[in-house]
Amino acid sequence: MCGIVGYIGEKEAADVLLDGLKKLEYRGYDSSGLAVVKDGKVALRRAVGKLDKLTNEVKKRPLEGRIGIGHTRWATHGRPSEANAHPHMEGGVAVVHNGIIENYLALKEELSEEGAKFKSETDTEIISHLIHREIKRGKTLVEAVRETVKYIKGTFAMAAVSEHEPDKIVAARMECPLILGLGKHEAILSSDIPAILNVTRRAVFLKDGEMVILTKDGALITDFGGKEVKREPSTIDWSPIMAEKGGYRHFMLKEIFEQPRAVADTFRGLLMEESGDVFLDRFDIPVDSIDRVYIVACGTSWHAGLAAKFFFEEFFRVPTEVDLASEFRYRNPLVNNKTLVVSISQSGETADTLAAIKEVKRRGASTIAVCNVMESSLTREVDWSLMTHAGPEIGVASTKAFTTQLVALYILALYFGRRSGNVDAETGSALIQELLRLPKKLEETLNVATAIETLAKKYCHLRDFIYLGRGLNHPIALEGALKLKEISYIHAEGYAAGEMKHGPIALIDEDMPVVALAPNDRSYPKMLGNMEEVKARGGRLIAVVNEGDVEASQKADDVIRVPPASAHLMPVILAIPLQLLAYHIAVLKGTDVDQPRNLAKSVTVE
């Protein structure tokens, strides 16, 4: 998610804002900006690229004032540019915003009919226009923001300053994080704790449906209806390493909970909902000449590749093979100048994947990397890269890198589908709409964490697990088993559920839990049959099902319920409860969750 900072106090606002934005750089961004108020005027500075570009701009054209807001942006609507960078200003009202305004097109049309002129391609600019409209109607800044949140649908954390009331900041939150820090004669707003620690350690974590009004006299929290909310601030008393973990016990747990943000960051700026298309900057691989796709990867990334095979063959309609990079170049693959090779690596330094890419380039293939690290060896080696923007993943067992890879590969396959003509605009738009709804569904999925912690206590003493899935969910069964093996040292295997009767069923007994992935898709009836086979042999069933499920739930000993989604994106949702199950079992067993034995984050030797 993008970064927000707001400040009011006795210090120069620009200095505090830039320091806060620096602390939020890990969240990823493509542009940044500040709005600072002095003598009743709001001055903007914005820049594309790294934060030092904005810092240099402020040095060249200083900003003086003790009230201001700042932002680092990952593009959602509109490409990275100075015009699209935040803050956005209309009629003396400057706004910064994280999230996605789902009904921005309808609001933009309404405002345009009223005579509004838009200077950017963003959804955020809508907010500045709406607040300005309400001020023109005679409302105060607080009243205007309160009225504006009634119009917008979607997710947001926003902050606004206005030349009409230059003594305050007004902010609001709905499903995006926003923290209020209270200092002595000063206050600060931020998307995350690190940005406030140089000002204060007294923090109030705003809840959905809440607003805060910051003045030199303090801060007032209300609900969207205007009712005051009383809440005592928490004291943030962390060591530097705990601050990095964001208060979570382990990096892995923090990274599991970062997945809604990471997924949203991965598709920001790439989707064109109206035309049902995908924007990939500087992409020049000849789509029409490709007659075969290979996907090469290792470990968790290979599991993402297995899912991507379904995306490419359905959207692009080209034969697609998935290979372990460590095996690929040793089998004399059929690669030529009509072959596309997609490599997947979190770090971009995986030795086997790099070696595979070098080999296929020698044979004339076109190459793409799906990677989380800009300027890594892999991204420098390939023709073109699609970055996942998961942010730093410190836990060795991959979580957010995996789900962002799934999303990036879905986008990549959709791009090829649209360019090849196999996916029409209407279908493309529907596929994009499903993706735009995914972060919110991932937030809902994370609500199962407490139930899974309880479930882990029931199964943590066992030594063997089987994971079953069909179709697109088979790779998730493999990934779920790998997570459990990696961090708890419990033996676990994932299988295509239809293969169980071809051998693995011999293992089933009361000491062999079976995790069955049974969302309500076209393979659901078959999964019910597989679950019956497990129960008939005395096995213990843990079923992961969609909310409202009845049949699979009745067959299972324990049930994990997750939100429904399209069959293409259900694997992303299913991955989360399996990550949580592995995590909580590992914690109960007392293993080193973030640094499991014998494993490294990046395998840089063959």
Side-chain angles (χ1 to χ4, degrees):
M1 193 67 70
C2 315
I4 284 177
V5 182
Y7 176 77
I8 184 168
E10 298 179 342
K11 301 183 180 77
E12 285 295 333
D15 294 339
V16 179
L17 297 173
L18 286 169
D19 178 73
L21 294 178
K22 186 74 176 174
K23 298 294 194 302
L24 299 179
E25 280 192 298
Y26 69 90
R27 297 167 72 89
Y29 62 101
D30 53 50
S31 58
S32 57
L34 305 179
V36 174
V37 186
K38 186 180 183 184
D39 298 331
K41 295 294 182 183
V42 177
L44 294 183
R45 301 289 185 270
R46 300 186 294 186
V48 178
K50 292 300 180 184
L51 197 59
D52 57 7
K53 300 284 183 65
L54 179 62
T55 302
N56 291 335
E57 185 66 22
V58 173
K59 286 178 179 176
K60 287 190 293 184
R61 296 191 296 149
L63 286 170
E64 295 181 351
R66 297 180 179 182
I67 300 176
I69 53 178
H71 192 267
T72 50
R73 174 184 189 254
W74 264 127
T76 50
H77 300 79
R79 304 173 191 181
S81 68
E82 185 174 334
N84 289 334
H86 300 208
H88 289 285
M89 189 156 73
E90 177 61 29
V93 176
V95 172
V96 293
H97 161 241
N98 292 346
I100 297 173
I101 305 304
E102 296 172 0
N103 62 334
Y104 91 98
L105 289 175
L107 290 172
K108 187 173 184 178
E109 183 177 349
E110 176 186 327
L111 288 162
S112 296
E113 289 175 356
E114 295 174 5
K117 304 296 182 184
F118 292 89
K119 301 181 282 290
S120 78
E121 305 166 302
T122 69
D123 57 341
T124 299
E125 191 182 356
I126 297 292
I127 301 173
S128 60
H129 280 272
L130 289 170
I131 295 173
H132 174 55
R133 182 176 70 177
E134 297 305 318
I135 289 174
K136 287 194 299 182
R137 292 173 176 176
K139 293 184 173 65
T140 66
L141 177 60
V142 173
E143 292 168 341
V145 172
R146 190 168 289 138
E147 194 67 23
T148 293
V149 297
K150 296 178 183 178
Y151 286 98
I152 57 179
K153 297 178 182 177
T155 61
F156 55 84
M158 70 169 83
V161 293
S162 171
E163 293 180 349
H164 305 280
E165 296 178 62
D167 61 342
K168 61 174 60 73
I169 301 172
V170 181
R173 171 199 160 127
M174 180 57 71
E175 297 184 18
C176 286
L178 196 59
I179 300 165
L180 167 65
L182 297 169
K184 188 175 182 180
H185 306 303
E186 60 186 347
I188 187 168
L189 286 169
S190 177
S191 308
D192 208 350
I193 289 171
I196 75 169
L197 294 181
N198 281 351
V199 173
T200 181
R201 291 178 178 268
R202 297 174 64 237
V204 178
F205 297 82
L206 297 182
K207 297 182 179 180
D208 289 344
E210 289 183 349
M211 292 173 51
V212 62
I213 301 98
L214 281 69
T215 68
K216 62 182 178 60
D217 299 319
L220 173 67
I221 303 172
T222 74
D223 63 19
F224 283 178
K227 182 179 179 181
E228 184 175 355
V229 175
K230 295 285 190 181
R231 190 175 307 128
E232 287 298 313
S234 304
T235 299
I236 309 301
D237 187 19
W238 293 342
S239 67
I241 189 68
M242 283 299 291
E244 289 179 32
K245 290 179 182 176
Y248 290 93
R249 184 173 178 181
H250 296 95
F251 282 110
M252 181 180 178
L253 186 61
K254 176 176 182 281
E255 288 155 7
I256 289 171
F257 275 81
E258 286 176 339
Q259 287 175 108
R261 185 273 306 163
V263 162
D265 283 352
T266 294
F267 64 63
R268 291 182 192 283
L270 304 182
L271 308 179
M272 295 182 281
E273 184 180 355
E274 293 172 84
S275 60
D277 211 343
V278 173
F279 169 74
L280 298 181
D281 192 24
R282 297 184 297 276
F283 189 94
D284 57 2
I285 291 175
V287 173
D288 293 340
S289 67
I290 295 169
D291 63 8
R292 181 187 295 266
V293 176
Y294 284 104
I295 300 172
V296 295
C298 299
T300 286
S301 297
W302 180 65
H303 297 156
L306 292 173
K309 172 182 172 71
F310 288 81
F311 302 153
F312 274 90
E313 292 195 337
E314 181 172 345
F315 300 163
F316 191 22
R317 306 304 296 161
V318 168
T320 303
E321 296 185 35
V322 186
D323 276 82
L324 289 163
S326 56
E327 297 290 329
F328 180 72
R329 67 194 178 102
Y330 296 109
R331 65 174 182 81
N332 195 22
L334 299 173
V335 173
N336 56 36
N337 61 5
K338 294 184 178 181
T339 306
L340 172 67
V341 179
V342 180
S343 55
I344 313 168
S345 171
Q346 188 281 140
S347 66
E349 304 296 340
T350 308
D352 290 314
T353 307
L354 277 165
I357 285 296
K358 289 175 182 177
E359 175 64 20
V360 300
K361 283 183 69 178
R362 189 180 65 80
R363 300 181 183 215
S366 298
T367 55
I368 295 175
V370 173
C371 186
N372 191 41
V373 180
M374 190 74 73
E375 295 302 316
S376 62
S377 298
L378 185 62
T379 61
R380 293 195 301 268
E381 191 70 40
V382 296
D383 298 319
W384 191 82
S385 298
L386 178 56
M387 308 310 296
T388 56
H389 302 301
E393 189 179 64
I394 298 168
V396 167
S398 183
T399 52
K400 61 179 181 175
F402 174 65
T403 49
T404 55
Q405 285 169 354
L406 290 174
V407 168
L409 291 160
Y410 176 93
I411 292 168
L412 189 61
L414 177 55
Y415 176 89
F416 279 94
R418 290 289 284 126
R419 292 300 171 282
S420 64
N422 291 303
V423 175
D424 60 28
E426 183 178 358
T427 303
S429 182
L431 291 168
I432 287 171
Q433 288 168 15
E434 284 289 337
L435 186 52
L436 289 170
R437 287 190 282 266
L438 183 60
K440 186 173 182 179
K441 292 185 177 184
L442 295 179
E443 290 278 8
E444 294 170 8
T445 303
L446 287 165
N447 291 331
V448 304
T450 301
I452 290 178
E453 185 174 3
T454 301
L455 186 67
K457 297 173 183 176
K458 184 175 177 180
Y459 291 95
C460 65
H461 65 285
L462 298 172
R463 293 299 308 159
D464 301 280
F465 277 69
I466 286 178
Y467 289 69
L468 299 178
R470 282 181 174 266
L472 261 169
N473 301 323
H474 170 223
I476 308 307
L478 297 175
E479 175 62 13
L482 177 61
K483 283 289 140 310
L484 191 64
K485 281 185 279 195
E486 284 180 311
I487 62 172
S488 74
Y489 317 144
I490 291 173
H491 173 251
E493 297 297 335
Y495 290 98
E499 291 298 298
M500 188 177 64
K501 62 177 67 70
H502 295 283
I505 200 168
L507 298 171
I508 302 297
D509 62 19
E510 65 276 5
D511 292 323
M512 173 71 81
V514 175
V515 180
L517 304 181
N520 191 15
D521 56 20
R522 64 181 182 181
S523 67
Y524 181 74
K526 297 293 185 183
M527 280 301 301
L528 292 176
N530 297 135
M531 293 170 69
E532 286 283 9
E533 292 167 350
V534 172
K535 294 302 293 180
R537 287 153 181 85
R540 301 166 69 177
L541 264 174
I542 303 169
V544 186
V545 302
N546 289 140
E547 293 162 353
D549 175 87
V550 176
E551 291 183 76
S553 301
Q554 290 174 342
K555 299 179 190 299
D557 297 278
D558 293 282
V559 177
I560 300 169
R561 302 183 187 279
V562 298
S566 70
H568 300 106
L569 295 176
M570 198 68 226
V572 185
I573 290 175
L574 292 175
I576 287 181
L578 303 191
Q579 293 167 357
L580 286 166
L581 181 63
Y583 170 80
H584 285 297
I585 288 177
V587 169
L588 289 166
K589 290 179 68 65
T591 63
D592 188 341
V593 172
D594 286 331
Q595 293 290 330
R597 67 190 184 199
N598 305 329
L599 296 178
K601 185 63 183 169
S602 178
V603 181
T604 56
V605 295
E606 292 187 61

